[in-house]
Amino acid sequence: MTQAPPKALAFDVFGTVVDWRSSIAAAAAPVLAAAGRGDIDAFAFTDAWRARYIVGMRAFGESGRGFVKLDVLHREMLDAVLDELGLDLGEGERQALVMGWHRLDPWPDSVEGLTRLKQRFPIVTCSNGHIALMVNMARHAGLVWDAILGAEIAQAYKPLPAAYTATAAALDLAPHELCLVAAHHGDLAAARAAGLQCAFVHRPLEYGGAPAPDLRYEQEWEYRATSLIDLAGKLGC
Amino acid sequence: MTQAPPKALAFDVFGTVVDWRSSIAAAAAPVLAAAGRGDIDAFAFTDAWRARYIVGMRAFGESGRGFVKLDVLHREMLDAVLDELGLDLGEGERQALVMGWHRLDPWPDSVEGLTRLKQRFPIVTCSNGHIALMVNMARHAGLVWDAILGAEIAQAYKPLPAAYTATAAALDLAPHELCLVAAHHGDLAAARAAGLQCAFVHRPLEYGGAPAPDLRYEQEWEYRATSLIDLAGKLGC
């Protein structure tokens, strides 16, 4: 590889650094049980919620709707899923489920991997999660970010190019000096189109072993790793 | 005091957390000497530069000029100081002096104080320094911020109210739930006018023992401390 190494690393977070599926399912299970709907599988409920997110983020960018924090969109998507299930949760339960996305647990390698990577590189978020969510999650999970960048500072959701280029610009970097680290080929493809370097981290358990929905975007990325600890080794940290 | 304690702490940085005067003077002294102007006292040079900043920040807010990063303003102020001194430094020297503001040393209590405060409170910057500057400084000085907020995310410089209220809003807080920590009465007065709680940290050496230029703004603040370690104790950390 002849390309110069990146000057900083920007991380996708949901799925790449934290295990949203196990964390949200664990939060949802008692809520579903208390509502007398123990028949609904908490993982299936979580997958249905997240599926709306993936579609919703792409649709949001094309809608022309003004930027709103991810809590607002998570709530709209939750309400739609609950309608679909015919499940009428109270306001408190709905808010608690939305706030569950602020307290996701890291993958087992994330804290050590990020801590090692930070010794050499500034590490920032380039997530669709807003600043308050990312701050709460970092404090919950022990993620040592140098800065919370991404959608809220860009006022644009990934995969819009501005989400990536605004993150680079906030660090006084050209796009090619920043590397996006993500477990999602679709995210990386959009980052590459915006000029960033790309590091793929394989997270085969993100969908509980089911195939990821964005395999069609797979390319040969600048870096490829099986964990953030593996990535640290490959980047000489 | 009957007011509820804050939910997060936002910090002024230049002078409150880091000792800009000693750091910039140390960076300037060899540059002045190499230019054959060892007759110029490096502290006097630094004070002249900083004096333009204090005036410049208030003037910027009233000027209607679009937001630019602090590096741009530091450079304009440096060029004006050099003109005044009849000192024609090269481009490289000017850029290096501006970048000196990215590598300021902390006061002796800052790292321990912030680390203790972070155990209980989210700690964020509410500085006029831009994101890249704050990230570089935090990595240089070991400052464990939860997020870099303040002027750049607000697109407005303190003491404009938006710099404070945008910092609270980014944390999903009402202004009165956020406490500004600063060594400057003028900064605190503007934060209070915007609805924030205020903590004053006394930094008698910020101007080398000379009186601060904003003593006229002094009020009775919610908290008052002699160091960030002292503040941690007073906030129960």
Side-chain angles (χ1 to χ4, degrees), chain A residues 69 118 121 139 146 169 172, chain B residues 69 118 139 146 169 172:
Chain A
K69 295 189 187 195
K118 184 174 180 166
F121 298 98
R139 293 177 64 82
D146 283 293
D172 286 346
Chain B
K69 295 189 188 195
K118 184 174 180 167
R139 294 177 62 83
D146 283 293
D172 285 346

Side-chain angles (χ1 to χ4, degrees), chain A residues 124-155:
Chain A
V124 304
T125 64
C126 184
S127 166
N128 281 338
H130 49 294
I131 293 169
L133 183 157
M134 283 290 137
V135 166
N136 289 337
M137 186 194 297
R139 293 177 64 82
H140 166 80
L143 312 175
V144 291
W145 304 121
D146 283 293
I148 308 297
L149 304 177
E152 188 172 351
I153 68 136
Q155 296 282 294

